[in-house]
Amino acid sequence: MSRTSRRRAVMAATLLVGLGLTTACSSGKTASDDSAGSTGGAAAGPKSGKISLTYLQKQGDQEYFVGEAAGAKARADELGIELKVVNLGNDANKTVSEVQAAIAQHTDGVIVVVPDPAVGPQIVRTARDGKVALLTSDDQICATGPDPAACAKADLVPRIGFSGAQMGGEVGKRAAAEYAEAGWKASETRIVSAWKQDVTVCGDRVKAARTAFGAAVPGVEAIDVATDNTPTGAQDKVAATLTANPGVKNWIVWGCNDENVAGGVTALTNAGLGPDRVIGVGLGAYLACKEWGSGRPSGMKAALFINGKDVGALAVQTMYDKLRNGKEFPAEGFAPTTMVDATTWKSSGLTCG
């Protein structure tokens, strides 16, 4: 190799090293750190100028998610953010295509509530390749596998929502208090624990409910019921459970959300069980309040009020802080909750659509 050729080779190598170091510094990671940005997206901030976000929601017509979208839009307006909200329904494939569409429309960040956590790795790859920040709300997803429950903590995508353990614990404690007040016997009582069993946060909630209830009331048998997290799905499954257990006198119902509990209480009511033989403790309160608004006695005795507006607002704020100021996402961010019943729900701030 000539002296001139050697000089050019050295200059080229030096330039490549310099570029590599510049990239590492600007992204806040080294070339070998593949995990950084893989779960939270590639956009690091700070960003000047207009910020645009896309909020993808499963079951966007459900009362809770309608509130979540409203909270997100209100906060976006306050911050001067351009926000697009998309209803995914229950279509997991649409989740991926809508993330791709958002990237094509030059969104700066994507917030997603997935219909199915199995699409998590594909969503993470798509966001990372498109260089957009990624945040989940409500349900978790994993960057490296379909099951967030089997995921290493470092591979969980940052999430805004509620603490499943805290929520479930409150439900279990209230169910125990209602049970004690009713004066039931453990031998005559069963618990229906209903949830979509591939959703991690649902599992966290019902497990915590069982632990809290069991600490106060030992000896009551729980029956796990797999549902699709809808009222009709829960109603059908609980009706079948009731048929399979004809000798049970009293029933306690809890689950992942208000839909499971409302569906379970309806199934028990349709089978002829009066409200004095049913203790339902909902999670959400957006369906429970409709029962209470009728003024009739109900098996829905209480519900944990989780305000979707708070989650939507907190998710948008968290994404804004990341994009505008470069503030790192928390692993999880939690909104507050309140236990309500037929006598307190109106004063709690809960609006019943």
Side-chain angles (χ1 to χ4, degrees):
M1 181 183 292
S2 68
R3 180 178 300 173
T4 301
S5 298
R6 285 197 300 272
R7 185 182 301 114
R8 288 175 178 169
V10 170
M11 290 174 66
T14 302
L15 177 60
L16 287 173
V17 171
L19 287 173
L21 289 173
T22 301
T23 302
C25 292
S26 64
S27 65
K29 64 177 184 174
T30 64
S32 63
D33 187 5
D34 294 330
S35 64
S38 66
T39 56
K47 173 184 169 64
S48 60
K50 190 79 170 181
I51 290 175
S52 64
L53 302 180
T54 304
Y55 209 130
L56 308 178
Q57 295 178 304
K58 70 177 182 183
Q59 300 171 338
D61 55 352
Q62 185 192 93
E63 190 76 23
Y64 169 83
F65 291 115
V66 170
E68 184 176 76
K73 290 174 182 176
R75 184 57 54 86
D77 288 344
E78 291 174 11
L79 297 172
I81 292 172
E82 179 183 312
L83 176 68
K84 180 181 180 181
V85 178
V86 179
N87 179 10
L88 302 171
N90 288 306
D91 190 343
N93 292 327
K94 187 177 180 181
T95 312
V96 178
S97 64
E98 289 293 347
V99 172
Q100 293 169 337
I103 292 170
Q105 293 163 12
H106 306 293
T107 194
D108 295 303
V110 173
I111 305 168
V112 60
V113 191
V114 292
D116 185 343
V119 299
Q122 190 172 356
I123 291 172
V124 171
R125 284 195 301 272
T126 302
R128 182 178 64 235
D129 293 345
K131 296 181 172 56
V132 300
L134 178 65
L135 183 67
T136 65
S137 70
D138 304 288
D139 301 337
Q140 284 186 313
I141 60 174
C142 179
T144 54
D147 182 7
C151 189
K153 284 188 177 182
D155 294 325
L156 289 170
V157 174
R159 181 181 77 90
I160 301 299
F162 297 99
S163 165
Q166 182 269 332
M167 288 193 299
E170 293 299 316
V171 167
K173 284 187 270 188
R174 182 57 181 256
E178 295 286 345
Y179 172 90
E181 184 175 340
W184 292 352
K185 295 180 180 179
S187 60
E188 299 175 338
T189 305
R190 294 293 182 275
I191 299 166
V192 166
S193 183
W195 80 102
K196 192 172 187 291
Q197 296 185 353
D198 62 350
V199 177
T200 309
V201 294
C202 289
D204 293 342
R205 295 171 189 178
V206 296
K207 180 180 178 181
R210 181 61 180 147
T211 299
F213 184 89
V217 182
V220 180
E221 181 182 338
I223 302 172
D224 292 338
V225 177
T227 74
D228 60 359
N229 275 356
T230 67
T232 53
Q235 182 177 337
D236 292 344
K237 293 298 182 69
V238 173
T241 301
L242 184 62
T243 301
N245 295 271
V248 178
K249 181 179 179 181
N250 306 307
W251 290 88
I252 298 167
V253 186
W254 64 55
C256 180
N257 53 20
D258 251 28
E259 283 79 1
N260 280 290
V261 182
V265 169
T266 298
L268 295 166
T269 301
N270 290 347
L273 278 76
D276 59 327
R277 292 179 57 191
V278 179
I279 294 173
V281 182
L283 207 162
Y286 45 84
L287 295 182
C289 65
K290 295 178 180 180
E291 289 270 320
W292 302 327
S294 70
R296 297 187 299 269
S298 172
M300 184 76 82
K301 297 299 190 293
L304 191 67
F305 174 29
I306 57 174
N307 194 341
K309 290 182 179 180
D310 291 340
V311 172
L314 182 57
V316 168
Q317 183 69 58
T318 302
M319 183 64 83
Y320 175 86
D321 290 342
K322 167 80 166 176
L323 295 173
R324 180 66 81 210
N325 305 314
K327 182 179 179 181
E328 289 302 315
F329 289 143
E332 291 186 287
F334 298 135
T337 62
T338 307
M339 186 64 71
V340 295
D341 56 31
T343 63
T344 62
W345 71 270
K346 289 183 179 179
S347 62
S348 71
L350 170 63
T351 55
C352 204

